[in-house]
Amino acid sequence: MFIFNLLCKYLTTFGSYLLLMGRSIAVPDRMRMFFKRYLKEMSQLGVDSIGIVLLISFFIGAVICIQMKVNIQSPWMPRWVSGYTTREIMLLEFSSSIMCLILAGKVGSNIASELGTMRVTQQIDALDIMGVNSANYLILPKLLGLVTMMPFLVVFSSAMGIVGAYSTAYVGHLLPPDDLTLGIQHSFNAWFIWMSIIKSMFFAFIIASVSSFFGYQVEGGSVEVGKASTDAVVCSSVLILFSDVFLTQLLS
Amino acid sequence: MIEIKHLYKSFGDKEVLKDISTVFEAGKTNLIIGQSGSGKTVLIKNLVGLLAPTRGEVLYDGRNFVAMSKREKAAMRREMGMIFQNAALFDSLSVLENVMFPLDMFSAMTYRERVKRAQECLDRVNLIDAQLKFPGEISGGMQKRVAIARAIVMNPKYLFCDEPNSGLDPKTSLVIDELLSGLTKEYNMTTIINTHDMNSVMGIGENIIFIYNGRKEWQGTKDEVMSSTNKRLNALVFASNLFKKVKEVEMETLPPGD
């Protein structure tokens, strides 16, 4: 009985999510207002995240390179192994999946708390009373804004990870820069970049839509807004991890 | 004119509104009064469509709002203005942008025309000097006046106010009351105000509906409130010491036999 009730609850939540997405993904009432909000969301969700993405990617790139050099490289391994593995890890998993997990925390909580606060202060009701499709007006620009910006963040992240790896060579003198360059260029497959971008766009949709759902559905006060924010981050992260398995299998 | 016919609203097993029928006339300040939890806010939410009634009809000049499609309701809502308890201004927009918002969304005016119209409305509520400020930078009373300006910017036929004086001092409440009453006459709107502020009741109540436990208990004008024999209404109105004394004086001055 408990499992049945739990299943019913999850199905009801999923149904509500689909209905909300149905209302959100529609032709906007006013294109001028939509583009204004779309640009604002690209700035708020994407451009404002560039700093944290670059910072984390730089250090992770450097750390991966150090770990590979210290723990993997041996006389039995080719000289380029550190550069090669750093590139593959950054490109295939870190810049798309792990970076999106980090952004689920930053962007997801931002979206959920913004919409949740709008809900409890009746700003969403005010939009509805005016005859505005509030879901479409508030959520669609966030969805498209984040999906548009995420590929750029992934490319910046990969590039910064490589810069981080080079810093260990030039600043830390852990390995010769030529070996690193050799490894980074070795057996390069351009599809991996596209794979990373495609995956990140799916993850961006998950982050924006799930967080919007939790924020939009808030009932109560500030405690519920905080809870919705946490639920949004947890749910987005779990869904990113699940879909990563399927997308990696599908795109590889 | 708004007419309600046999309106019921339930949440699960709990019936919150029971068989409410009444008429709110245009050009009049209609007040819904009642204790907290009596169903006033649920009634107003049913009128504007934020909640769907379990049974009954809500007729806007003969048009049944309950039976309308989503598209028709959205179009109908452009004839409505609403002032929320906490003003519900958009935090990220300036005062001027808040007032312009409905015009930006629905009017075919040019930018200059929209700014001009919004400034006219801000001028009407004496807030033209605050147009570039953000909601967080102005007082609660000013926020309510911005909400009024936003509500009237599209020349609505129907104006709804949910506790417009809540959290305001008596003097500011009077300003808001006079503003709402004046605008109702000026625009010939059907104004419905949800309140339990007795100063508002006695000041601007041209048609007062008293809700008790989800039922319409009494209906009349502000002049009839003082002479009402309805015990529940008297208990609400004369809960204030000031009104209790006024009532006692009135009863004492009545000729014997009345």
Side-chain angles (χ1 to χ4, degrees):
Chain A
M1 195 62 192
F2 172 74
I3 292 170
F4 177 74
N5 286 340
L6 199 67
L7 192 68
C8 280
K9 192 183 147 198
Y10 283 137
L11 283 174
T12 309
T13 307
F14 184 60
S16 306
Y17 168 79
L18 290 181
L19 285 173
L20 182 67
M21 286 306 111
R23 281 182 60 207
S24 307
I25 303 167
V27 179
D29 292 329
R30 265 289 152 103
M31 281 316 240
R32 186 186 64 226
M33 294 294 277
F34 167 74
F35 279 116
K36 207 171 150 185
R37 283 194 61 82
Y38 175 56
L39 290 174
K40 193 181 151 223
E41 297 298 349
M42 280 205 291
S43 163
Q44 198 173 313
L45 304 177
V47 177
D48 288 357
S49 302
I50 290 175
I52 187 89
V53 166
L54 294 182
L55 185 77
I56 294 171
S57 303
F58 177 85
F59 285 105
I60 293 293
V63 167
I64 290 171
C65 191
I66 294 168
Q67 293 282 20
M68 292 302 144
K69 171 68 185 167
V70 173
N71 297 308
I72 303 288
Q73 202 146 16
S74 70
W76 301 100
M77 289 282 186
R79 287 181 301 142
W80 44 260
V81 73
S82 297
Y84 175 76
T85 47
T86 303
R87 184 199 75 200
E88 295 293 74
I89 291 171
M90 288 304 295
L91 210 54
L92 289 173
E93 273 310 304
F94 181 81
S95 295
S96 53
S97 314
I98 309 299
M99 188 49 68
C100 283
L101 279 177
I102 294 165
L103 286 177
K106 183 190 178 287
V107 175
S109 61
N110 175 310
I111 292 174
S113 54
E114 183 191 326
L115 291 181
T117 307
M118 286 188 80
R119 169 64 75 194
V120 299
T121 55
Q122 295 184 300
Q123 292 176 49
I124 293 180
D125 288 343
L127 284 169
D128 287 331
I129 294 288
M130 286 176 202
V132 177
N133 177 350
S134 58
N136 175 261
Y137 176 77
L138 294 170
I139 298 174
L140 188 65
K142 289 185 194 299
L143 279 177
L144 293 183
L146 194 59
V147 170
T148 310
M149 287 307 291
M150 198 57 100
F152 293 100
L153 294 177
V154 166
V155 171
F156 291 161
S157 168
S158 300
M160 204 58 184
I162 303 297
V163 172
Y166 269 108
S167 75
T168 61
Y170 280 109
V171 182
H173 305 293
L174 275 171
L175 72 168
D178 288 345
D179 288 356
L180 188 61
T181 307
L182 194 65
I184 285 170
Q185 292 175 343
H186 183 76
S187 303
F188 177 67
N189 183 353
W191 168 246
F192 288 171
I193 293 181
W194 290 112
M195 198 167 111
S196 194
I197 287 173
I198 293 167
K199 270 167 54 170
S200 73
M201 288 170 83
F202 273 94
F203 299 153
F205 182 83
I206 289 172
I207 295 169
S209 63
V210 170
S211 306
S212 297
F213 171 72
F214 279 102
Y216 194 87
Q217 303 286 83
V218 166
E219 278 177 16
S222 54
V223 175
E224 283 76 15
V225 174
K227 191 176 174 302
S229 188
T230 311
D231 289 347
V233 174
V234 172
C235 191
S236 308
S237 303
V238 170
L239 286 172
I240 286 171
L241 291 170
F242 269 113
S243 54
D244 191 26
V245 175
F246 293 107
L247 285 169
T248 305
Q249 182 71 25
L250 198 71
L251 297 170
S252 293
Chain B
M1 185 182 80
I2 301 172
E3 191 179 356
I4 306 174
K5 286 184 179 173
H6 308 292
L7 194 80
Y8 289 82
K9 177 65 187 175
S10 305
F11 294 103
D13 296 336
K14 196 179 178 205
E15 207 164 44
V16 179
L17 295 180
K18 298 156 197 161
D19 194 21
I20 293 192
S21 297
T22 190
V23 174
F24 300 108
E25 285 173 34
K28 277 192 178 175
T29 316
N30 302 277
L31 265 58
I32 302 171
I33 62 169
Q35 290 172 318
S36 298
S38 59
K40 303 188 299 288
T41 302
V42 174
L43 175 59
I44 220 161
K45 282 187 174 177
N46 274 277
L47 294 183
V48 298
L50 283 178
L51 291 173
T54 312
R55 262 187 290 158
E57 292 180 350
V58 178
L59 303 167
Y60 284 84
D61 291 311
R63 297 167 289 175
N64 188 1
F65 187 64
V66 181
M68 284 180 185
S69 67
K70 272 189 180 176
R71 194 177 288 267
E72 286 169 328
K73 276 184 184 168
M76 180 77 215
R77 282 185 174 132
R78 286 164 208 171
E79 297 177 22
M80 298 178 191
M82 180 146 181
I83 298 149
F84 287 89
Q85 197 170 354
N86 58 3
L89 299 178
F90 305 125
D91 302 323
S92 57
L93 304 181
S94 69
V95 163
L96 181 69
E97 287 167 336
N98 261 285
V99 180
M100 274 174 69
F101 185 83
L103 299 171
D104 287 338
M105 287 304 291
F106 301 116
S107 83
M109 293 175 173
T110 63
Y111 179 75
R112 275 170 193 269
E113 287 168 339
R114 295 200 302 274
V115 171
K116 192 173 168 243
R117 171 69 187 143
Q119 285 174 335
E120 277 169 15
C121 292
L122 281 172
D123 196 31
R124 182 67 186 78
V125 297
N126 288 324
L127 274 179
I128 195 71
D129 295 336
Q131 60 178 316
L132 297 177
K133 290 188 174 168
F134 281 83
E137 298 169 346
I138 58 177
S139 69
M142 287 165 89
Q143 287 185 13
K144 290 278 166 69
R145 284 191 279 155
V146 176
I148 292 173
R150 185 177 69 181
I152 61 166
V153 76
M154 294 282 283
N155 288 321
K157 287 169 78 176
Y158 316 101
L159 183 67
F160 300 90
C161 314
D162 187 15
E163 310 253 2
N165 295 336
S166 106
L168 300 181
D169 63 87
K171 200 177 168 188
T172 312
S173 297
L174 274 178
V175 172
I176 300 288
D177 283 346
E178 280 166 18
L179 201 54
L180 290 171
S181 179
L183 288 167
T184 302
K185 299 279 177 289
E186 195 177 319
Y187 290 86
N188 193 35
M189 292 183 293
T190 306
T191 300
I192 301 176
I193 303 173
N194 186 353
T195 188
H196 46 221
D197 180 351
M198 284 308 139
N199 286 323
S200 301
V201 174
M202 302 314 290
I204 57 169
E206 291 174 288
N207 176 32
I208 301 161
I209 288 156
F210 171 53
I211 306 280
Y212 182 83
N213 203 13
R215 283 188 193 281
K216 188 178 90 174
E217 181 80 13
W218 180 89
Q219 183 164 4
T221 65
K222 62 182 176 183
D223 302 321
E224 290 163 351
V225 167
M226 295 307 278
S227 55
S228 161
T229 51
N230 186 302
K231 284 181 184 169
R232 284 169 179 158
L233 177 66
N234 286 345
L236 176 79
V237 174
F238 305 114
S240 141
N241 272 339
L242 178 69
F243 282 112
K244 201 182 272 178
K245 280 178 183 157
V246 173
K247 176 82 175 180
E248 281 165 10
V249 171
E250 280 232 336
M251 296 308 275
E252 281 165 17
T253 52
L254 278 177
D258 269 20

